[in-house]
Each structure stands twice: as C-alpha cells, then as structure tokens.
Amino acid sequence: MIWLVWSALIGASAIWAAHIIALAAMVLPADEGFRLPTALLALAVTFAGVFAGFALSTKRDIRLAPEFGGIVLGLTVAVMGMTTSAAHVIAGADSNGAGFSLWSLLLSACLGAIALSFVPQLRSRRALLSATLFLFLAVVTLHLSMPVPETFASQLGLLSQAGLLSEGQMISVALLICALCAALAATGCELEKERKEAARRAYQHLSLQDSLTHLPNRHYVQKVAADLLKKADQNGKICSVVLISLDQFKAINDLHGYEVGDMVLCSMAETLKNNLSEKVFISRFYGDEFLIINPALNSEDEAVEFARLVRSLARRPIQWRSYRLSIRSSIGLAVFPRDGNDLTKLVQRANLAAKQAKSIGGNLIQPYVTGMEESNRWETSLASDLRNATLENQLSLVFQKQNLTKTGSLIGYEALVRWRHAEKGPIAPEDFIPIAERSGIILDIGNWVLEAACAEAANWAEPVSLAVNASPLQFSRSDFAGLVSTVLIKTGLPAERLEIELTESTPIEDHERVHETILSLRQMGVRVAMDDFGKGYSSLNTLQAFPFDKIKVDRAFTQSLETNPHARAILRSAILLGHSFGIPVIAEGVETERQLEFLKEAGCLQVQGFLFGKHVLASQIKKKQDSLQKTGS
C-alpha cells in the first residue's frame, strides 16, 4: 500500500504537470490564465484515479484486474484533461475544455488497459518498457486531442481578474508541485527502505539469538568462530571448546513440566553469564546443550581447569518453588589447536567427548582423546548390525537360577540375551544393550527375548517362575501389556509364572504410560519387579511411583558388601524397605558363602548368582517331554 501511494503520487503529479505545461505552451492571440483551485482539483482527481488504477491492477483474485485498472487509469487521464482545460481561461474563447471527443476517451482507456496489462510481468525489462510506452501514448493522445478555440476577444487585461495565474506562474507552480511530490515520494521510499533494513537487521539478530535464554545460537557461533580461533592463534593462546550436555533433561520436563525445563535452561544461562569472563563466548548450542569457548588460555592445563570451573557452575542446584533441582551434566572438552583447527571439528569432538561422559554415568568431564571417532563409528556400525540380529538368528538365550536364601531351593530362572556376531564373534551385553537402548532397537530385541523365553519356560518340567528384563522404552513406547498377553496365549505359559523386570538404571520417559502398563500386567497375573535397585538416578522416587511386586538389588552392592560398610548399609536398608512395602527383595550377584550368610541374617528372601551355578542353556533345563519319557520307562 505504501509503495502504491508513492507511485500514484509521482505518476499523477507528472501527468498533471505535463498537461499544464502543454496548455501553457499553446501560442494564442489572446490573453489567457489559470484558475489555481480548479487546477489543484484536477491534480487531486488524477491522484485518486491513478491510485485506484494501480491498486486494481495488482489484484490477483480478480480476473483481468490489470486491464480493468488500465481502463480506470486511461479514463482518469481523460477526466484530468477536461478538468485542467476547464482551469485554463482564454479571453473571449468559445470553449474551454468541453470539446474532448468520445474517441479520445476510448483511446485513452484502451491504451491505459494495454499499459497496465504488463503489470504481472514487470520484472521483465521488456514488459516494463512496453508498459511505459503505452502509458506515454495514452497521455500524448490526450494532448493531441485538446480543443483549440476558434474565436478570441480583442480586449486584453484578463490577468487583472482576481485568482488567475499567468502561463509562466502556472508552469512554475506545476513544476514545484511535481518536484515536491517526487521529493516526498523519494523520502518515503528511503524511509521505507530504512525501515525494511532495520527490520532485516532485527530479524537477523533474532535469527542469531536463542529466543529463550537470549544467548547466541549455533548459527551465530559459526559466524564468529573463525575470528575467535584466528585471534587465539595470533596471540599464541590455547582455545578451549566446552560442550555442556544436561543429563536427564527430558526427565525434568516429564516430571515437572516444560515450564520448569525452560526455567532450568534460563537459570543455567544466567549462571554462566554472571560467573564467566567477558572474554568467554557462551551460547545455547542445541536443545539442552551449551557451548562455551574461551580463546584466552595459556596452556592445556588451564583448559582443563576452565572445564572444571564450568562443571562447578553447571552443577549448582536450581531453586524452584519449594524444590531444589540437582542438575547433572556431561561435559566434553576439545582444545584448539591440539584437537582441530576449525570450530566444526572442535565442536564435533567436544560432542563425542560429552557422549562418552554420558555413556559411563554422566556428571563428569571427558576431554577428547584420539580414537573417539573410531569408537563412535564402531557403535554406529554395531547398531546397524544389531538391527538384523533377530532376523539372522544371531541372538540366543541363557538362564540364571534364582533361589531361596535359606534353603537354596530353585524358584525360577532369569532369561538373559546373548549375541554372537557373524564376523566379530560374541558381543558382551554391556556393550550392545546400551546401544540398543539409545537407538531404539531394544524394542525389537525385547519382543524377541520375551517370546523366546516364554516358549522355553512353557516346556520346563518344573513350573518355576521366569524373569524377563524389559526396558522402560518397551513400557512407554509400545503396547507392552498387549504384547505380553499375546505371547502368553501363543506360548501357553501361565501368567502367574512370568515376572517382568523393569530396569531402574534407565530414565523413565512417560511415567503415566508406564504406570498404566504395570497395572495392566498385574491385572492379568504377571508380576513386575524393580531391577537394578540403587544403581539408578531416583530409586526411591521410582519405587514410590510404581506398584512393584519385587525389588531386585543391583549386583554391585552384593559383590562389595564384604569390604564396603556402605554397601552393607544400603543392602540392609533395601531389605527393610521391601519389608515395609510388603514385597520380597532379591539380591543378585551372590558368589560367596559369606555374601549368602549376610543376606540370610539381613532377612533377604531370594538370591541369584554364580554361587548356585553358572548360566545354563535352554537345552540344559529339564523339559516336560524328558520327564514324561523317564516316567514312562
């Protein structure tokens, strides 16, 4: 709309001034002059008509809109000519503008329509020249059709009448008004350009700034990184690149809501800004990751010290209402020029280091070391091979006994998955299970393990229980209860013999969905145990949130109870906790008689471990068919 106003203002004033000059240039043997109010009225009519014609020609939702706009423009030029001619007073003339013929009106309208028909293609120089030519012809046609009086009065002195301007004065007025309109339009255009440039700069600034924390984002980092590294190189300095990756940030969003998650990010940003030097570049790099660049360090030891400072800041508890949120973070460190000469490589290596820190427990600093890329590629390759493991029969099951603590009687088996890679040979569970968890492949593996284990247990001679591990991903991202029901029906295993062990070492994403799944399993008779108690991040909260049927204490406490008094205290507390909840506690990892005696005295009802035998294959467990054959013989 603004550009239409400027265009109409310039076009109308130019057409009007050209017609005024054409009228004043006529050489007549009589006195003549111009009525200024009528001439200005002609200018106003011209502006309104030109604006209407231009506006109509830009309408895309009206068929033949440019042609209709051109007709309005052509008729406006004709009406302007009549009105301007009426302002031209000639002493004794028979006619002052009433003699325009119909053909001139039609010709102006046609030429105007042709001129504006090129509006949709104005980006083309040819279309622009054609539109200009036909618009010029429309105005020229008006000038050529101006009526010339045939008789004149012999007396002079017409200019002495009040309100009339001479030809020279009117030309000056017309040129002045045309120049003012052009200057106004030019000023408006410049202001509009400046406004657009200011908006562009504002948008560019916003595009380089994180809207939540108001820190620079990764696009801005890439923009200034080369200068930071170049400056550090010129000054002979070491540049440290520290990547903070918040541990369990999704769990914060799930437990407390996204509002609290945003508050944590903003609080982290404020803490970093308020406690680090102005020389340090801080940015929110991606999601729950912050990137910090310090280009003014003197040695690699200082880079490590700086990373420790960052870790201490990142670990500060955050107060929210009555809660104090403890923030855990995995920190990766890469150093320029030792670990790379450009930011892309440095960030990539800091990110690899942060992933490594998270994979070994999180909440620590991990400098980049040579070979991490190979390790990451190995993990990626392993994940790719793992997807085909169930299809190519590379997975197998072994079973570990579960026994009563006091008598040693067998009460069940736990099914454990093993993977023999076609080329790499046996892959340890501690190597491929975390990869399966991170990649989501655990869903397929878990489904295979459940069905294969239930099919085996249904054929055991002794109707002991079967424990099968399940990932929180299976509980929250699939219809796990429906799957278990289908497997039980397919294999014929009674529901009361199946026990699902939900590992507590992996964060639970969807608490509501997991809670509903546990209730559904219990309703069909399947027991649900809490696995790896004490190893995870929020054991007591998890135990309180879900209705478990059993607590399984992590093997790390059992295996260190002979030497570590803290492990003994934790085991006693876990057993008392189970008694208070009215659910049994099973301790895994029992390998010695001393461990067994301690657990007996502490009141632990069930145990599992190598003390009662190594893992056994499915073929080593007595089957119903074998039992029947012996009975028959």
Side-chain angles (χ1 to χ4, degrees):
M1 185 62 67
I2 293 174
W3 287 98
L4 282 174
V5 170
W6 301 144
S7 301
L9 193 62
I10 293 176
S13 62
I15 294 172
W16 174 78
H19 195 60
I20 290 291
I21 294 172
L23 289 173
M26 295 174 61
V27 179
L28 301 173
D31 206 358
E32 55 183 311
F34 289 86
R35 297 189 186 97
L36 183 60
T38 307
L40 295 178
L41 175 63
L43 175 60
V45 169
T46 308
F47 172 77
V50 172
F51 177 80
F54 284 174
L56 182 57
S57 68
T58 60
K59 296 291 184 181
R60 297 185 178 181
D61 55 342
I62 300 177
R63 188 178 181 184
L64 300 179
E67 287 76 10
F68 286 127
I71 292 174
V72 171
L73 179 61
L75 294 176
T76 297
V77 172
V79 172
M80 180 275 303
M82 296 179 187
T83 309
T84 308
S85 296
H88 186 206
V89 180
I90 304 173
D94 294 334
S95 172
N96 289 332
F100 281 92
S101 60
L102 180 60
W103 73 266
S104 64
L105 292 175
L106 294 175
L107 189 58
S108 293
C110 291
L111 292 172
I114 296 173
L116 294 195
S117 67
F118 292 98
V119 166
Q121 296 89 31
L122 279 184
R123 294 182 181 274
S124 164
R125 174 173 291 185
R126 182 176 181 180
L128 182 61
L129 292 175
S130 300
T132 304
L133 175 62
F134 282 101
L135 188 59
F136 173 76
L137 292 176
V139 176
V140 169
T141 299
L142 174 69
H143 296 163
L144 294 178
S145 63
M146 285 190 302
V148 180
E150 297 179 357
T151 59
F152 305 94
S154 57
Q155 72 273 13
L156 300 176
L158 181 64
L159 290 178
S160 61
Q161 300 180 22
L164 292 182
L165 299 180
S166 66
E167 297 94 324
Q169 290 173 331
M170 191 62 210
I171 290 175
S172 299
V173 170
L175 293 176
L176 177 61
I177 291 176
C178 188
L180 289 174
C181 289
L184 180 62
T187 303
C189 291
E190 288 301 318
L191 291 175
E192 178 68 9
K193 288 180 180 179
E194 180 61 29
R195 185 189 70 81
K196 287 186 176 181
E197 179 62 23
R200 187 191 66 79
R201 290 194 298 267
Y203 290 142
Q204 184 181 33
H205 176 70
L206 290 175
S207 70
L208 298 175
Q209 183 186 70
D210 175 53
S211 59
L212 178 63
T213 62
H214 303 295
L215 290 175
N217 59 22
R218 65 181 183 276
H219 300 296
Y220 187 75
V221 174
Q222 294 167 351
K223 190 179 181 68
V224 303
D227 292 337
L228 286 173
L229 298 181
K230 182 178 180 181
K231 185 176 180 180
D233 189 39
Q234 290 175 345
N235 296 333
K237 297 290 184 178
I238 296 295
C239 182
S240 72
V241 177
V242 178
L243 184 76
I244 304 175
S245 179
L246 300 184
D247 298 335
Q248 289 189 304
F249 182 69
K250 191 177 188 311
I252 293 176
N253 284 331
D254 292 341
L255 290 173
H256 303 290
Y258 289 98
E259 179 183 358
V260 178
D262 291 345
M263 182 274 298
V264 167
L265 293 174
C266 292
S267 179
M268 179 75 72
E270 286 298 317
T271 300
L272 295 173
K273 284 191 293 186
N274 295 336
N275 292 276
L276 295 178
S277 167
E278 294 182 355
K279 296 179 181 179
V280 176
F281 183 85
I282 308 169
S283 70
R284 182 187 176 193
F285 198 68
Y286 186 81
D288 59 353
E289 295 178 349
F290 292 86
L291 185 71
I292 303 171
I293 303 175
N294 189 341
L297 299 173
N298 295 314
S299 66
E300 294 179 4
D301 290 338
E302 284 190 13
V304 175
E305 287 300 319
F306 177 72
R308 289 174 181 165
L309 171 61
V310 171
R311 181 183 63 174
S312 66
L313 296 175
R315 294 175 64 180
R316 288 186 179 180
I318 296 175
Q319 189 70 34
W320 177 70
R321 296 180 183 175
S322 59
Y323 295 94
R324 281 172 63 85
L325 300 175
S326 297
I327 306 301
R328 296 166 55 93
S329 58
S330 299
I331 296 177
L333 170 64
V335 178
F336 166 86
R338 182 192 69 188
D339 299 326
N341 294 317
D342 62 89
L343 185 74
T344 301
K345 183 173 290 186
L346 289 167
V347 171
Q348 179 186 10
R349 291 180 169 178
N351 189 36
L352 284 174
K355 285 183 178 180
Q356 178 69 17
K358 188 169 291 190
S359 68
I360 57 179
N363 205 31
L364 51 84
I365 299 171
Q366 175 63 58
Y368 169 80
V369 294
T370 304
M372 280 188 175
E373 286 92 349
E374 288 73 14
S375 176
N376 187 62
R377 282 193 289 269
W378 181 83
E379 178 175 325
T380 303
S381 173
L382 205 62
S384 178
D385 295 340
L386 193 54
R387 293 186 187 278
N388 299 321
T390 56
L391 301 176
E392 298 177 356
N393 297 320
Q394 295 179 8
L395 298 181
S396 61
L397 293 177
V398 295
F399 297 87
Q400 187 173 40
K401 295 178 180 179
Q402 295 180 335
N403 305 79
L404 290 177
T405 307
K406 290 185 177 181
T407 64
S409 301
L410 178 69
I411 58 173
Y413 291 94
E414 179 185 4
L416 303 172
V417 64
R418 295 294 182 262
W419 179 25
R420 177 174 287 277
H421 193 281
E423 298 175 357
K424 299 181 176 71
I427 307 294
E430 55 268 24
D431 290 334
F432 73 83
I433 292 296
I435 295 174
E437 291 276 2
R438 289 192 291 270
S439 62
I441 308 173
I442 195 67
L443 297 175
D444 294 331
I445 294 177
N447 295 349
W448 180 87
V449 169
L450 177 66
E451 184 170 349
C454 288
E456 290 290 344
N459 291 318
W460 291 342
E462 297 180 83
V464 295
S465 65
L466 168 69
V468 178
N469 287 285
S471 165
L473 290 177
Q474 293 174 266
F475 274 69
S476 59
R477 296 189 185 179
S478 64
D479 181 16
F480 187 65
L483 172 68
V484 171
S485 177
T486 302
V487 169
L488 291 176
I489 294 172
K490 182 178 179 181
T491 61
L493 181 71
E496 59 271 13
R497 288 183 56 194
L498 179 61
E499 182 177 285
I500 301 296
E501 295 186 356
L502 178 63
T503 177
E504 199 266 336
S505 60
T506 304
I508 295 174
E509 297 179 351
D510 191 339
H511 277 238
E512 184 176 350
R513 182 76 175 271
V514 171
H515 191 274
E516 292 176 357
T517 302
I518 292 177
L519 291 179
S520 298
L521 291 172
R522 295 186 69 188
Q523 286 175 0
M524 67 176 73
V526 177
R527 299 185 304 278
V528 181
M530 178 182 180
D531 194 13
D532 295 334
F533 180 82
K535 183 180 179 181
Y537 303 102
S538 54
S539 300
L540 296 179
N541 287 338
T542 305
L543 187 60
Q544 183 180 19
F546 304 114
F548 291 110
D549 298 294
K550 184 186 289 186
I551 298 174
K552 191 172 189 180
V553 182
D554 186 70
R555 69 177 64 247
F557 301 105
T558 305
Q559 293 177 345
S560 60
L561 67 84
E562 297 179 45
T563 57
N564 190 337
H566 296 292
R568 293 194 292 270
I570 291 173
L571 275 168
R572 288 195 183 97
S573 299
I575 294 167
L576 290 174
L577 191 63
H579 290 167
S580 65
F581 274 87
I583 56 178
V585 175
I586 181 171
E588 62 177 343
V590 179
E591 298 180 357
T592 67
E593 291 290 344
R594 291 185 62 184
Q595 294 170 353
L596 181 63
E597 288 301 319
F598 174 86
L599 293 170
K600 283 181 183 179
E601 294 174 3
C604 182
L605 300 179
Q606 302 174 11
V607 289
Q608 174 181 332
F610 289 164
L611 181 63
F612 300 92
K614 299 288 186 179
H615 301 143
V616 296
L617 300 175
S619 58
Q620 296 174 296
I621 301 176
K622 186 181 294 185
K623 303 291 192 301
K624 288 181 180 179
Q625 188 176 4
D626 297 339
S627 179
L628 290 174
Q629 288 177 352
K630 289 181 180 180
T631 303
S633 61

PDB file of all heavy atoms in Angstrom, residues 6 37 41 43 46 62 73 112 124 137 162 166-167 202 296 348 421 467 481 491 503 511 524 534 600 627:
ATOM      1  N   TRP A   6       3.147   6.052  -3.080  1.00  0.00           N
ATOM      2  CA  TRP A   6       4.265   6.801  -3.678  1.00  0.00           C
ATOM      3  C   TRP A   6       4.182   6.769  -5.207  1.00  0.00           C
ATOM      4  O   TRP A   6       4.400   7.788  -5.874  1.00  0.00           O
ATOM      5  CB  TRP A   6       5.608   6.219  -3.240  1.00  0.00           C
ATOM      6  CG  TRP A   6       5.867   6.191  -1.758  1.00  0.00           C
ATOM      7  CD1 TRP A   6       6.532   5.230  -1.073  1.00  0.00           C
ATOM      8  CD2 TRP A   6       5.503   7.179  -0.785  1.00  0.00           C
ATOM      9  NE1 TRP A   6       6.591   5.525   0.258  1.00  0.00           N
ATOM     10  CE2 TRP A   6       5.971   6.728   0.462  1.00  0.00           C
ATOM     11  CE3 TRP A   6       4.806   8.382  -0.840  1.00  0.00           C
ATOM     12  CZ2 TRP A   6       5.783   7.441   1.643  1.00  0.00           C
ATOM     13  CZ3 TRP A   6       4.609   9.101   0.345  1.00  0.00           C
ATOM     14  CH2 TRP A   6       5.089   8.632   1.558  1.00  0.00           C
ATOM     15  N   PRO A  37      -7.432  26.908  -8.060  1.00  0.00           N
ATOM     16  CA  PRO A  37      -8.243  25.892  -7.362  1.00  0.00           C
ATOM     17  C   PRO A  37      -8.711  24.778  -8.300  1.00  0.00           C
ATOM     18  O   PRO A  37      -8.683  23.602  -7.938  1.00  0.00           O
ATOM     19  CB  PRO A  37      -9.425  26.693  -6.809  1.00  0.00           C
ATOM     20  CG  PRO A  37      -8.898  28.079  -6.661  1.00  0.00           C
ATOM     21  CD  PRO A  37      -7.995  28.271  -7.851  1.00  0.00           C
ATOM     22  N   LEU A  41      -7.753  20.845  -8.157  1.00  0.00           N
ATOM     23  CA  LEU A  41      -8.789  19.822  -8.155  1.00  0.00           C
ATOM     24  C   LEU A  41      -8.472  18.737  -9.186  1.00  0.00           C
ATOM     25  O   LEU A  41      -8.645  17.539  -8.932  1.00  0.00           O
ATOM     26  CB  LEU A  41     -10.156  20.446  -8.444  1.00  0.00           C
ATOM     27  CG  LEU A  41     -11.325  19.462  -8.581  1.00  0.00           C
ATOM     28  CD1 LEU A  41     -11.546  18.712  -7.272  1.00  0.00           C
ATOM     29  CD2 LEU A  41     -12.599  20.208  -9.001  1.00  0.00           C
ATOM     30  N   LEU A  43      -5.536  17.893 -10.115  1.00  0.00           N
ATOM     31  CA  LEU A  43      -4.446  17.087  -9.560  1.00  0.00           C
ATOM     32  C   LEU A  43      -4.988  16.047  -8.584  1.00  0.00           C
ATOM     33  O   LEU A  43      -4.576  14.878  -8.605  1.00  0.00           O
ATOM     34  CB  LEU A  43      -3.434  18.002  -8.857  1.00  0.00           C
ATOM     35  CG  LEU A  43      -2.285  17.292  -8.125  1.00  0.00           C
ATOM     36  CD1 LEU A  43      -1.463  16.451  -9.095  1.00  0.00           C
ATOM     37  CD2 LEU A  43      -1.397  18.306  -7.398  1.00  0.00           C
ATOM     38  N   THR A  46      -6.685  13.297 -10.423  1.00  0.00           N
ATOM     39  CA  THR A  46      -5.677  12.457 -11.080  1.00  0.00           C
ATOM     40  C   THR A  46      -5.042  11.488 -10.089  1.00  0.00           C
ATOM     41  O   THR A  46      -4.872  10.290 -10.390  1.00  0.00           O
ATOM     42  CB  THR A  46      -4.582  13.334 -11.716  1.00  0.00           C
ATOM     43  OG1 THR A  46      -5.191  14.323 -12.531  1.00  0.00           O
ATOM     44  CG2 THR A  46      -3.648  12.493 -12.560  1.00  0.00           C
ATOM     45  N   ILE A  62      -8.882 -11.143  -8.959  1.00  0.00           N
ATOM     46  CA  ILE A  62      -9.881 -10.638  -9.907  1.00  0.00           C
ATOM     47  C   ILE A  62      -9.376 -10.898 -11.324  1.00  0.00           C
ATOM     48  O   ILE A  62      -8.257 -10.525 -11.674  1.00  0.00           O
ATOM     49  CB  ILE A  62     -10.131  -9.124  -9.701  1.00  0.00           C
ATOM     50  CG1 ILE A  62     -10.645  -8.866  -8.278  1.00  0.00           C
ATOM     51  CG2 ILE A  62     -11.119  -8.601 -10.740  1.00  0.00           C
ATOM     52  CD1 ILE A  62     -10.851  -7.398  -7.974  1.00  0.00           C
ATOM     53  N   LEU A  73      -7.285   3.961 -15.264  1.00  0.00           N
ATOM     54  CA  LEU A  73      -6.189   4.919 -15.436  1.00  0.00           C
ATOM     55  C   LEU A  73      -6.394   5.769 -16.684  1.00  0.00           C
ATOM     56  O   LEU A  73      -6.215   7.006 -16.654  1.00  0.00           O
ATOM     57  CB  LEU A  73      -4.860   4.165 -15.513  1.00  0.00           C
ATOM     58  CG  LEU A  73      -3.598   5.015 -15.716  1.00  0.00           C
ATOM     59  CD1 LEU A  73      -3.405   5.980 -14.562  1.00  0.00           C
ATOM     60  CD2 LEU A  73      -2.372   4.137 -15.881  1.00  0.00           C
ATOM     61  N   GLY A 112      -4.504   2.770 -21.823  1.00  0.00           N
ATOM     62  CA  GLY A 112      -4.261   2.517 -20.391  1.00  0.00           C
ATOM     63  C   GLY A 112      -4.381   1.046 -20.049  1.00  0.00           C
ATOM     64  O   GLY A 112      -3.589   0.488 -19.281  1.00  0.00           O
ATOM     65  N   SER A 124      10.257  -8.173 -15.914  1.00  0.00           N
ATOM     66  CA  SER A 124      10.944  -8.252 -17.202  1.00  0.00           C
ATOM     67  C   SER A 124      11.165  -6.842 -17.743  1.00  0.00           C
ATOM     68  O   SER A 124      10.257  -6.006 -17.729  1.00  0.00           O
ATOM     69  CB  SER A 124      10.097  -9.075 -18.179  1.00  0.00           C
ATOM     70  OG  SER A 124      10.540  -8.878 -19.506  1.00  0.00           O
ATOM     71  N   LEU A 137       1.802   6.943 -24.570  1.00  0.00           N
ATOM     72  CA  LEU A 137       0.884   7.174 -25.687  1.00  0.00           C
ATOM     73  C   LEU A 137      -0.488   7.629 -25.207  1.00  0.00           C
ATOM     74  O   LEU A 137      -1.149   8.460 -25.851  1.00  0.00           O
ATOM     75  CB  LEU A 137       0.754   5.904 -26.533  1.00  0.00           C
ATOM     76  CG  LEU A 137       2.003   5.486 -27.322  1.00  0.00           C
ATOM     77  CD1 LEU A 137       1.764   4.168 -28.037  1.00  0.00           C
ATOM     78  CD2 LEU A 137       2.374   6.588 -28.327  1.00  0.00           C
ATOM     79  N   ALA A 162      -9.085  38.732 -10.512  1.00  0.00           N
ATOM     80  CA  ALA A 162      -8.570  38.070  -9.301  1.00  0.00           C
ATOM     81  C   ALA A 162      -8.561  36.555  -9.478  1.00  0.00           C
ATOM     82  O   ALA A 162      -9.498  35.979 -10.033  1.00  0.00           O
ATOM     83  CB  ALA A 162      -9.433  38.443  -8.086  1.00  0.00           C
ATOM     84  N   SER A 166      -0.687  33.529 -14.546  1.00  0.00           N
ATOM     85  CA  SER A 166      -0.179  33.540 -15.917  1.00  0.00           C
ATOM     86  C   SER A 166       0.382  32.173 -16.272  1.00  0.00           C
ATOM     87  O   SER A 166       0.548  31.298 -15.412  1.00  0.00           O
ATOM     88  CB  SER A 166       0.917  34.601 -16.061  1.00  0.00           C
ATOM     89  OG  SER A 166       2.051  34.229 -15.275  1.00  0.00           O
ATOM     90  N   GLU A 167       0.705  32.024 -17.600  1.00  0.00           N
ATOM     91  CA  GLU A 167       1.257  30.737 -18.029  1.00  0.00           C
ATOM     92  C   GLU A 167       2.553  30.419 -17.301  1.00  0.00           C
ATOM     93  O   GLU A 167       2.783  29.286 -16.843  1.00  0.00           O
ATOM     94  CB  GLU A 167       1.534  30.743 -19.533  1.00  0.00           C
ATOM     95  CG  GLU A 167       0.303  30.913 -20.396  1.00  0.00           C
ATOM     96  CD  GLU A 167       0.079  32.380 -20.768  1.00  0.00           C
ATOM     97  OE1 GLU A 167       0.373  33.249 -19.907  1.00  0.00           O
ATOM     98  OE2 GLU A 167      -0.345  32.654 -21.892  1.00  0.00           O
ATOM     99  N   ALA A 202      17.020  -6.563  12.559  1.00  0.00           N
ATOM    100  CA  ALA A 202      16.391  -7.119  13.762  1.00  0.00           C
ATOM    101  C   ALA A 202      16.121  -8.607  13.599  1.00  0.00           C
ATOM    102  O   ALA A 202      16.373  -9.401  14.511  1.00  0.00           O
ATOM    103  CB  ALA A 202      15.086  -6.370  14.063  1.00  0.00           C
ATOM    104  N   ALA A 296      41.362 -17.420  25.401  1.00  0.00           N
ATOM    105  CA  ALA A 296      42.458 -16.671  26.019  1.00  0.00           C
ATOM    106  C   ALA A 296      43.157 -17.471  27.102  1.00  0.00           C
ATOM    107  O   ALA A 296      43.464 -16.963  28.181  1.00  0.00           O
ATOM    108  CB  ALA A 296      41.915 -15.357  26.604  1.00  0.00           C
ATOM    109  N   GLN A 348      32.464 -31.037  17.091  1.00  0.00           N
ATOM    110  CA  GLN A 348      32.175 -32.456  16.876  1.00  0.00           C
ATOM    111  C   GLN A 348      32.930 -33.313  17.899  1.00  0.00           C
ATOM    112  O   GLN A 348      32.365 -34.255  18.474  1.00  0.00           O
ATOM    113  CB  GLN A 348      32.568 -32.855  15.458  1.00  0.00           C
ATOM    114  CG  GLN A 348      32.321 -34.325  15.144  1.00  0.00           C
ATOM    115  CD  GLN A 348      32.853 -34.706  13.771  1.00  0.00           C
ATOM    116  OE1 GLN A 348      33.568 -33.936  13.134  1.00  0.00           O
ATOM    117  NE2 GLN A 348      32.511 -35.893  13.319  1.00  0.00           N
ATOM    118  N   HIS A 421      27.970 -62.236  17.011  1.00  0.00           N
ATOM    119  CA  HIS A 421      28.040 -61.558  15.726  1.00  0.00           C
ATOM    120  C   HIS A 421      28.662 -62.490  14.687  1.00  0.00           C
ATOM    121  O   HIS A 421      29.566 -63.267  14.984  1.00  0.00           O
ATOM    122  CB  HIS A 421      28.876 -60.283  15.860  1.00  0.00           C
ATOM    123  CG  HIS A 421      28.772 -59.347  14.691  1.00  0.00           C
ATOM    124  ND1 HIS A 421      29.455 -59.549  13.520  1.00  0.00           N
ATOM    125  CD2 HIS A 421      28.063 -58.204  14.523  1.00  0.00           C
ATOM    126  CE1 HIS A 421      29.177 -58.574  12.684  1.00  0.00           C
ATOM    127  NE2 HIS A 421      28.331 -57.732  13.266  1.00  0.00           N
ATOM    128  N   ALA A 467      11.829 -64.860  34.815  1.00  0.00           N
ATOM    129  CA  ALA A 467      12.046 -63.410  34.878  1.00  0.00           C
ATOM    130  C   ALA A 467      12.629 -62.936  33.543  1.00  0.00           C
ATOM    131  O   ALA A 467      13.604 -63.500  33.050  1.00  0.00           O
ATOM    132  CB  ALA A 467      12.997 -63.055  36.013  1.00  0.00           C
ATOM    133  N   ALA A 481       1.695 -54.310  27.377  1.00  0.00           N
ATOM    134  CA  ALA A 481       0.761 -55.226  28.035  1.00  0.00           C
ATOM    135  C   ALA A 481       0.055 -56.100  27.001  1.00  0.00           C
ATOM    136  O   ALA A 481      -0.129 -57.311  27.217  1.00  0.00           O
ATOM    137  CB  ALA A 481      -0.255 -54.437  28.858  1.00  0.00           C
ATOM    138  N   THR A 491       2.246 -68.975  23.576  1.00  0.00           N
ATOM    139  CA  THR A 491       3.177 -69.971  24.115  1.00  0.00           C
ATOM    140  C   THR A 491       2.523 -70.884  25.138  1.00  0.00           C
ATOM    141  O   THR A 491       3.071 -71.963  25.449  1.00  0.00           O
ATOM    142  CB  THR A 491       4.388 -69.273  24.759  1.00  0.00           C
ATOM    143  OG1 THR A 491       3.921 -68.434  25.841  1.00  0.00           O
ATOM    144  CG2 THR A 491       5.123 -68.424  23.742  1.00  0.00           C
ATOM    145  N   THR A 503      14.114 -52.357  34.439  1.00  0.00           N
ATOM    146  CA  THR A 503      15.400 -51.831  34.889  1.00  0.00           C
ATOM    147  C   THR A 503      15.265 -50.392  35.347  1.00  0.00           C
ATOM    148  O   THR A 503      14.591 -49.571  34.709  1.00  0.00           O
ATOM    149  CB  THR A 503      16.467 -51.943  33.787  1.00  0.00           C
ATOM    150  OG1 THR A 503      17.680 -51.358  34.257  1.00  0.00           O
ATOM    151  CG2 THR A 503      16.036 -51.220  32.524  1.00  0.00           C
ATOM    152  N   HIS A 511       5.946 -41.478  32.668  1.00  0.00           N
ATOM    153  CA  HIS A 511       5.565 -42.119  33.927  1.00  0.00           C
ATOM    154  C   HIS A 511       4.122 -42.614  33.889  1.00  0.00           C
ATOM    155  O   HIS A 511       3.824 -43.712  34.393  1.00  0.00           O
ATOM    156  CB  HIS A 511       5.759 -41.136  35.082  1.00  0.00           C
ATOM    157  CG  HIS A 511       7.162 -41.086  35.583  1.00  0.00           C
ATOM    158  ND1 HIS A 511       7.515 -41.358  36.874  1.00  0.00           N
ATOM    159  CD2 HIS A 511       8.333 -40.801  34.934  1.00  0.00           C
ATOM    160  CE1 HIS A 511       8.822 -41.240  37.030  1.00  0.00           C
ATOM    161  NE2 HIS A 511       9.341 -40.892  35.862  1.00  0.00           N
ATOM    162  N   MET A 524      -3.527 -59.060  34.746  1.00  0.00           N
ATOM    163  CA  MET A 524      -3.548 -60.363  34.053  1.00  0.00           C
ATOM    164  C   MET A 524      -2.749 -61.423  34.807  1.00  0.00           C
ATOM    165  O   MET A 524      -2.669 -62.558  34.358  1.00  0.00           O
ATOM    166  CB  MET A 524      -3.036 -60.211  32.614  1.00  0.00           C
ATOM    167  CG  MET A 524      -1.579 -59.864  32.489  1.00  0.00           C
ATOM    168  SD  MET A 524      -1.016 -59.820  30.739  1.00  0.00           S
ATOM    169  CE  MET A 524      -1.774 -58.305  30.166  1.00  0.00           C
ATOM    170  N   GLY A 534      19.043 -49.151  43.348  1.00  0.00           N
ATOM    171  CA  GLY A 534      20.213 -48.485  43.909  1.00  0.00           C
ATOM    172  C   GLY A 534      21.211 -48.022  42.886  1.00  0.00           C
ATOM    173  O   GLY A 534      22.064 -47.183  43.164  1.00  0.00           O
ATOM    174  N   LYS A 600      21.174 -63.764  54.533  1.00  0.00           N
ATOM    175  CA  LYS A 600      20.265 -64.519  55.397  1.00  0.00           C
ATOM    176  C   LYS A 600      19.999 -63.750  56.680  1.00  0.00           C
ATOM    177  O   LYS A 600      18.849 -63.601  57.115  1.00  0.00           O
ATOM    178  CB  LYS A 600      20.878 -65.880  55.741  1.00  0.00           C
ATOM    179  CG  LYS A 600      20.806 -66.925  54.658  1.00  0.00           C
ATOM    180  CD  LYS A 600      21.418 -68.223  55.157  1.00  0.00           C
ATOM    181  CE  LYS A 600      21.440 -69.287  54.066  1.00  0.00           C
ATOM    182  NZ  LYS A 600      22.060 -70.556  54.549  1.00  0.00           N
ATOM    183  N   SER A 627      10.856 -85.521  31.161  1.00  0.00           N
ATOM    184  CA  SER A 627      10.282 -86.023  32.405  1.00  0.00           C
ATOM    185  C   SER A 627       9.255 -87.114  32.141  1.00  0.00           C
ATOM    186  O   SER A 627       9.212 -88.133  32.823  1.00  0.00           O
ATOM    187  CB  SER A 627       9.650 -84.869  33.194  1.00  0.00           C
ATOM    188  OG  SER A 627       9.065 -85.337  34.385  1.00  0.00           O
TER     189      SER A 627
END
